[in-house]
Amino acid sequence: MNRVHLTRRQLTTLVVVGVLLIAAIVLPYVATSYYVTIATLVLASALLASSVNMLAGDAGLYSLGHAGIAAAAGYGLAWSSRQGMGLAAQLGMALLLTLIASVIYGLISMRTSGVFFLMVTLAAGMICFGMAYRWSSVTGGDNGLTGIRRPELLSEYWQYYFFVLAVFVIATLALRGLSASPFGLTLRGIRDSQTRMRSLGYSVPAYKFAAMVLSGLLAGVAGVLLVWQNEFVSPASSSFQASALALVMVVLGGVGRTFGPLIGATVVVLIQQVLSTYVDRWPTVLGVLFIVVVIVKESGGVRRLREMLQRRRPSAPARPTPEY
Amino acid sequence: MFFLQQTLNGLSFGALLFLVASGFTLVFGLMRISNLAHGGFYIVGAYVALTTVALTANFWFGLLAGALAAAVVGFAVERGLLRRVRNREMPEVLVTVGVLFVIADLVLAIFGGDPKSVGLSGAPRGALVVGDFAYPWYRLFIIGVTLVIGVGMFLLQRYTRIGAIVRAGVDNREMTVSVGINVDRVFTGVFVFGAALAGIAGAIGSGLLSLNPSSGTEILLFAMVVVIIGGLGSIPGAAIGAAFIGLVDAFAKVWLPEFSYFTVFAPMALVLVFRPYGLLGRPA
Amino acid sequence: MRSTQRRGLRFALATTVAVAGLVVAGCAPSSSLSDDGGGGDASTGGEVFKVGVLAPMTGFVSAIGTDLKQGWELYWEQNGDTVGVFTVETVLEDDASSPDTALAKATRLVTEEKVDAVVGPVLANQALAVADYLDQEGVVNLAQSSADDITQREFSPLVLRTGALAGSQTTFPGGQWAYDEGYRTAATLCVDYAFGWESCGGFVSAFVDAGGTVPLQLWYPGDATDLSTYVTQLVNADVDVIFAGTAGGTDSSNFLRSAADFGLLEKTPVLANCCTLDQAILEDVGDIALGIKSVAYYAEGAPQVADFVEAFEAKYGIIPSVYAFGAYATAQMLAATLAGLDEKVTGEELVAAIKSADLSDSPWGKVSFDDYNNLVAPVLVRDVVARDDGKLWNVEIGEFPDVSQFWTFDPEEFLASPPFSTTRTGQ
C-alpha cells in the first residue's frame, strides 16, 4: 500500500481549493443577495471564460467569438421558453443551437491558427451578433427577449447560486480531466508544433474541430446559465465586447491555468459591477490592468517574482510559466 | 443614375476604408501585428481634428493635427508597449486590444459621448450637379484624396529606398535584419505612418460619418475585413478589398437589407478558410 | 500511481462538494440577507424617500446618460430635496448602455440601497429587462424609455412611464399633420429595430387612416455608418413627403448630412421624429437642419418649458435635450406626489398616489395618466429655427393635445394585434 505522497505545492493547492469551496458554500449565509448575485455572475462568466481557456491553453487557439456560441444557446432557450415549450424542449433547443454554432465555428476555423484563428472566430461572432440583431421576428432584435423564467427549483437567488456553483465545479473537473487525457495531450502537441503532429500522422484539423465543438458545448452551458441569471437575452450577449471580455478574463487569470478563468472573471466582474459604482473611468482601469498583465507576463515578470519569493525556500522547484 | 450614385457611394465609403485598412495592412504585413488599436488611432485623429477645426476654422489644419496626434499616440504605443512584447504574436494582439479599450474610454472622458463631426469649413461642400444627377462634392473629394495617397504610397514602395526596405521586410524579415538594416527603426516608422493614415482617415471620415467613441471599433472591424480579403501587406490588395467591401455594403443595403453582417463578414470568413493570405497577399 | 491517488482525491473532493451542496441547498439563508423594502428615517427629521437613477454614463449612449442626470439634478437643486415631510435622496448608477449592467445595477439598487423607486433606464432593451425585474421585486419603475410595449403588451402595474411618451404615440400626430398639410403619398426611412418600427408605425398608421398612401418604406440597420444609399433611394422616389425616424445617435447626424448633400432637403419636405432633431444633433449638424419639421413631445422653444430651459442653460451652458426634459419632468411629478402625502407609500400605492397627484404645474403641459400607466399628453409639431444668439432649437408650430398611446384606435384591438415591425407597419 503506498502512502499518499503530495508535494508541498499540491498540498497548498488542495488547501486553497478547499478553503475557496468552503467560502463559496458559506457565502449566501453571510453576504447580501446582491453580492451572491454578483458571485453567480462571476461563476457563469468564468464558465464562458473556461471554454475560451480550453482552446487557448491546450490548443493555443485564441477565440474572439465565443460569446456568439453562448448567445446561440441563450437565444435557443429564450425563444423556446417564450413559445411555451417545456424545460426539456428548451434545453434541447439550446443544445441544438449550440451544436450548430460550434460545428460551423469548427468547420471554418479548423484550418487556421494564431491570428487568423482569432479573426475567423471574430467574424463568426459578428455574424451571430448580426443574426441576433436583424432577425428580429425571432430574436426580438435589439430589444431582446424578456421574461425567461428559471425552473421552479432554482427560482431563489441562493438556490440558483448553488446550482451554478455546482455546474462550475463539475465543469472545471471535467476540463482538468480532458486536459490530462490523451486528447488534451494531442492538443498541446498541436499547439507546440502542428507540422510535427502532422508528420506523426495526426489529422490536425480534425482535432481542432473536435476541440472547438467541445469548447462550444461548454460555452453553450455558460450561455444558458447567463440567460437564466438575467432572465432575458439580447444581442449584447453576442457582441464583440462580450467575446473580448471573455478573452480578457482568460489572459488576466493566466492562460491554461485551471483557475485562471475564475480569477479573471472575478477581477473583470468586480471592476465592471462594483468598481463602476465608485469610479467613472473603470474601462480605463480594466484596459490598463490588462495591458500591464500581458506585458508583465511576457517579460517573465511572474517568473522573476516567483524566483524572488523562492530564494527563501530553495527546496520548492520553480514551475515554468506557460507559453502563449 | 441611381446605379451610378450607389456605385459612387460604395466607392467613397470604400475609399475611407482603404485609408484605414492600408495602415493596418502595412503593419500586419511587415510586423505581423494585428493592431486592433488601429481603431483607436482613427478616433484620436478624428477628435483632435474636430477640436482643431473648431478652434481654427480650417479644415486642413484639422486634418494635419489629426494625423499628427494619431502618429504621436502610435509612436507611444509602439515604443512603450509593443516593444516589450515584440515577436510574440498573441501578446501583441492582446496589448492592442487593451489599448483600444483605454483610448475609447479616455476619448469618452475628454470629449463626451455626443455624436460629433468635423466642421466642413474649408472642405468641399455642396454637390456636383449634372442635369438630374446630384452627387456631394465631399464624397468625390474623399475618393480623390484617397487616390492621391494610395498612388503616393505605391510609388513610395516601388521607387524609394525606404519602400524597398519595407518590401524586403515584408517578404523576408530575417534576411533584412541580417543585411544590417535597423529593422526596429523601420518598424517604428511604419507603425507611426500607419497610425497617421488612420488619423487622416478619422479626420476625413468624421466629416462624412459622424463620430462617437464606438466609431473606432466599427471602422476597425470593416478594416479587418478589407485587409483579410485583400491580403497581408499588400497595398493594392487593400485597395481592391476596400472597393469591394464598399460596393458590397452599398448594394447589399439596397437589395439585401436583412443580411448586412453576412454580406460583410461571410466573405472574410470564406477567404480566411480557403485563401488565408488574401487575394494578393503572400505567406511570410 | 500518484495520478490514481490524485484522481482518487479529486473524486473524493467532488463527492464532498456534491453532498455538501445537496445538504446546503435545502437550507435557505436568513431573509434579512435578501432584499427588504424601505429606506430609513433621515436624522434631520422627516422620512427619506430614496430614488435609484439608472443612466448610461458610459457606453455608446453616454451622452444621453449625462443629459438625464443633469435634468434630474437640476430639479432638486432648484427646489431643494425636501418635499413636504420627505427628504429625497438620489442614488445614481451607471448602466453602461448595456442591459446586463442595467439589470445588475437595478439589483444593487433594490437589494443594497433599498430604494423606493427606480428612474430609468433609457434604452428599450434595458428598460424592458429592468421593468420585468422591478415588477417581481415590487419596486416602482418611473420609466424613461419610449418603447411602446412597456405600457402596452408588457404592461405592469408598477411601471409608470413618466419621462417619455411611447414611440408610436409621438408619431401618430405626424401622420395626421402630414395629411392635413395636403400630402397624399409618403416614403419612410426608419431605423430597423423596435424604436424605428414604432416611429414609422405611428406615422404610417395615422397617415393611412386619414387617407394617404405609403409606397416606399426603407429600414436601415441601427449601426449603419453610412446612410447615403438610403438617401439616394429617397431622392429618386416620387412622393409628397418623407418621414424619417432615426434613433438619435450618429445615424441622425448622418441622415441629415446625407440628405443635405444629396439635395433631398430641397427636393421633398421631410418630417422627422423627435430624436432626429434633438439638441445634440442640432449642435452637430448646424444650419442644414434649419426649417425641418418634426413631431415630438418636447420643444426647447415652447413656452411651457421656458423656465426649465432657461435654468438648465444657466447651469450647464447648453440647451437641454429631450432626455434631460424627461428626467426633470419625472422629478417634478415625484415631488408633486410626495407633497400630497403624509407618510411614505411604495409599490402599487405609490403608483396610485402619482396617478392622482396634482400635475397642473408639470412641464409636460396638460397631462394625465391612462389605464395602462402611460401619459396622455400634448404632442407638438416643431420647426428648427435660429435663436437670437444664433443657436438652433425647435419651436412649436402646432399642437395635438391629449394624445393617447392608442391614438384614435380601440385599445383592446390595438393590443390584440402584434407590435409594430417591418411586417406590421401600420398600412
Side-chain angles (χ1 to χ4, degrees), chain A residues 231-248:
Chain A
E231 301 196 320
F232 100 111
V233 68
S234 77
S237 319
S238 59
S239 65
F240 170 66
Q241 282 76 9
S243 289
L245 274 180
L247 191 59
V248 166

Side-chain angles (χ1 to χ4, degrees), chain A residues 55-110:
Chain A
L55 282 178
D58 280 333
L61 300 170
Y62 290 71
S63 163
L64 257 187
H66 259 55
I69 305 180
Y75 271 103
L77 185 85
W79 178 84
S80 43
S81 159
R82 298 266 295 207
Q83 298 299 111
M85 299 190 196
L87 182 64
Q90 290 177 37
L91 290 175
M93 185 59 98
L95 178 65
L96 179 67
L97 285 184
T98 310
L99 279 173
I100 294 177
S102 310
V103 163
I104 294 179
Y105 270 64
L107 286 174
I108 62 175
S109 70
M110 63 188 192

Side-chain angles (χ1 to χ4, degrees), chain B residues 141-165:
Chain B
F141 164 72
I142 293 182
I143 296 180
V145 165
T146 308
L147 273 173
V148 167
I149 293 181
V151 168
M153 278 199 294
F154 183 71
L155 293 174
L156 256 171
Q157 261 209 335
R158 219 8 120 76
Y159 298 114
T160 64
R161 188 164 175 272
I162 287 286
I165 293 174

